[in-house]
Amino acid sequence: MSFSIKQSALATCMDLSNSFVHKRSQSRICRSSFPPALILQNDHKRTNISVSKPLHVSSFEIIGKEKRAAIQCKAYEADKSQPIEAAAAAAAEVKTETAKRVKIGIYFATWWALNVVFNIYNKKVLNAYPYPWLTSTLSLACGSLMMLISWATRIAEPPKTDFEFWKTLFPVAVAHTIGHVAATVSMSKVAVSFTHIIKSGEPAFSVLVSSCLLGETFPPAVYLSLVPIIGGCALAAVTELNFNMIGFTGAMISNLAFVFRNIFSKKGMKGKSVSGMNYYACLSMLSLVILTPFAIAVEGPQMWAAGWEKALSEIGPQFIWWVAAQSIFYHLYNQVSYMSLDQISPLTFSIGNTMKRISVIVSSIIIFHTPVQPINALGAAIAILGTFLYSQVSVVNNFFNNSTYF
């Protein structure tokens, strides 16, 4: 049943026994039976309430002594002890929570989809154009340009930064640059699935660096969760059919670099009021400045030009789309992941990150027809399970220690 209730007008009286209740107030009569028919007059404010059970009168009050005195009647739904207003507030809160869950689901689905698409196009580009330093530079340049245009056109609100902000961001950008290039070098030498399996071992590096360099201690559960991670990565590596030492080393360096990036972020960005989207945009721009001279020194324009002509002759014009797509989707998937950090808890984010890695590994194996032995797949599954367990115990440990988790 749906009722419209006015907050300053003649009120209604309701009774479960379906009897009529009469109450006379000066020149007005309030009458009702179940199901109630609410009399509405002389007010411009209306509240819509939907109830499925009988309403009980909880209070009855005459307001004012003028001829146009009003009767205020409060009620609550059967089997409930709260007034209608409180029930409406609770219903609104449920709707808000539902909308938030839908929003998080959209974030996750977008994040995973963008990451899968990036890895596919990135591998296509690297197969035809094996210059990972330039590819990494183009990814950062594309993202930086996209955000500058967004700020200039006010699609996104530009961040308010100062010298101190960029100073604290610099070590984060250095680590991010190293990790980004190392991962791209790895994917240029080995299968996408193998790179991501090795990168799932990042928690082991995190605990190692935090223990040895920062003097942090962890509960036994954290150390135990590292056993399947290390064991699974080792099993996957020794059974990889197309193993390459440069690819393996690149993935390991990427793990170490991203651990330092997270450490520098936690230490340097506390108290900074920059959104996740703008934070990653600033990080990309600073990383681009750092990476560009090194990319020129390591590979250089001559190698890039020769390789570009060869790729165009072998692949055709669609190669240009591959390069553009891998650059655009790299920025978008990272941007969405940083935006999601503003909306969800670290525990939820860690679960999403684990599922993302699984989706990338499975999709890349299917699309590129990567040969996988059963023992290799077992190693990957064990490593990813260990990563998931580590994320759970780490978040719980950080919660009880009242520390932040990036």
Side-chain angles (χ1 to χ4, degrees):
M1 292 177 289
S2 180
F3 305 94
S4 292
I5 301 176
K6 288 193 174 182
Q7 297 172 346
S8 174
L10 283 180
T12 185
C13 314
M14 289 154 283
D15 189 87
L16 260 178
S17 61
N18 293 339
S19 61
F20 290 93
V21 177
H22 298 272
K23 185 168 184 69
R24 187 175 300 273
S25 171
Q26 296 186 15
S27 62
R28 307 245 177 179
I29 298 177
C30 172
R31 176 176 300 174
S32 177
S33 63
F34 185 79
L38 304 187
I39 303 172
L40 308 174
Q41 293 181 7
N42 304 327
D43 194 17
H44 301 288
K45 295 183 180 180
R46 184 185 298 270
T47 302
N48 292 322
I49 305 295
S50 294
V51 296
S52 58
K53 298 179 181 179
L55 296 178
H56 296 288
V57 175
S58 61
S59 63
F60 195 82
E61 180 180 0
I62 299 177
I63 303 175
K65 298 181 179 179
E66 301 292 333
K67 289 184 178 180
R68 301 185 60 174
I71 301 175
Q72 184 179 45
C73 181
K74 294 184 178 180
Y76 64 91
E77 196 174 347
D79 300 329
K80 292 185 179 180
S81 58
Q82 57 181 349
I84 297 176
E85 293 86 348
E93 185 177 349
V94 170
K95 289 183 179 179
T96 302
E97 184 64 25
T98 301
K100 184 178 180 181
R101 289 174 182 267
V102 172
K103 184 178 181 181
I104 293 173
I106 293 174
Y107 269 129
F108 272 11
T110 306
W111 177 21
W112 297 341
L114 292 173
N115 191 267
V116 169
V117 174
F118 158 71
N119 278 277
I120 292 171
Y121 279 110
N122 189 48
K123 185 58 178 176
K124 283 178 174 288
V125 170
L126 291 172
N127 286 341
Y129 189 68
Y131 297 98
W133 288 78
L134 176 60
T135 304
S136 302
T137 305
L138 291 176
S139 300
L140 296 173
C142 181
S144 300
L145 179 62
M146 290 170 61
M147 287 309 301
L148 287 175
I149 294 175
S150 298
W151 292 339
T153 57
R154 295 292 174 174
I155 295 176
E157 187 69 23
K160 296 179 181 180
T161 61
D162 51 21
F163 176 76
E164 188 64 25
F165 170 83
W166 293 100
K167 180 181 176 181
T168 56
L169 187 64
F170 182 77
V172 182
V174 170
H176 178 73
T177 303
I178 296 173
H180 175 41
V181 173
T184 309
V185 169
S186 174
M187 281 190 278
S188 69
K189 299 295 183 180
V190 296
V192 175
S193 56
F194 180 71
T195 297
H196 279 273
I197 291 170
I198 300 304
K199 283 177 65 65
S200 66
E202 184 178 325
F205 286 86
S206 180
V207 173
L208 180 64
V209 171
S210 299
S211 300
C212 297
L213 299 183
L214 303 180
E216 294 184 13
T217 58
F218 299 90
V222 172
Y223 294 108
L224 288 174
S225 69
L226 299 181
V227 174
I229 295 176
I230 298 173
C233 287
L235 182 60
V238 299
T239 58
E240 175 64 25
L241 295 176
N242 299 313
F243 181 83
N244 180 281
M245 183 55 70
I246 296 178
F248 175 77
T249 304
M252 297 289 279
I253 292 175
S254 178
N255 281 340
L256 187 61
F258 284 141
V259 166
F260 279 104
R261 181 194 65 178
N262 294 346
I263 291 174
F264 293 144
S265 294
K266 287 195 294 185
K267 288 184 173 293
M269 300 309 297
K270 288 182 178 179
K272 304 296 182 181
S273 57
V274 178
S275 67
M277 180 177 66
N278 285 335
Y279 175 80
Y280 180 71
C282 295
L283 182 62
S284 294
M285 294 174 188
L286 192 52
S287 294
L288 176 63
V289 173
I290 296 170
L291 176 58
T292 301
F294 288 97
I296 295 174
V298 173
E299 293 174 347
Q302 291 183 347
M303 296 177 63
W304 296 339
W308 188 269
E309 292 181 3
K310 182 181 178 182
L312 279 177
S313 63
E314 293 179 353
I315 305 301
Q318 63 177 336
F319 171 72
I320 300 176
W321 160 248
W322 290 0
V323 175
Q326 73 89 23
S327 301
I328 293 172
F329 284 109
Y330 172 79
H331 175 78
L332 290 178
Y333 101 76
N334 276 288
Q335 180 176 295
V336 171
S337 69
Y338 274 80
M339 290 171 63
S340 66
L341 280 171
D342 292 338
Q343 305 290 329
I344 61 179
S345 68
L347 177 59
T348 305
F349 183 83
S350 66
I351 296 173
N353 196 42
T354 302
M355 299 303 296
K356 177 210 74 174
R357 203 170 297 284
I358 294 174
S359 64
V360 171
I361 292 173
V362 173
S363 62
S364 64
I365 290 174
I366 295 173
I367 293 173
F368 294 108
H369 305 287
T370 306
V372 179
Q373 294 179 324
I375 190 68
N376 185 260
L378 177 63
I382 293 173
I384 293 174
L385 175 62
T387 303
F388 177 77
L389 295 175
Y390 169 83
S391 67
Q392 309 307 298
V393 297
S394 294
V395 171
V396 172
N397 179 58
N398 287 334
F399 174 79
F400 284 109
N401 289 335
N402 196 28
S403 60
T404 57
Y405 178 87
F406 186 81

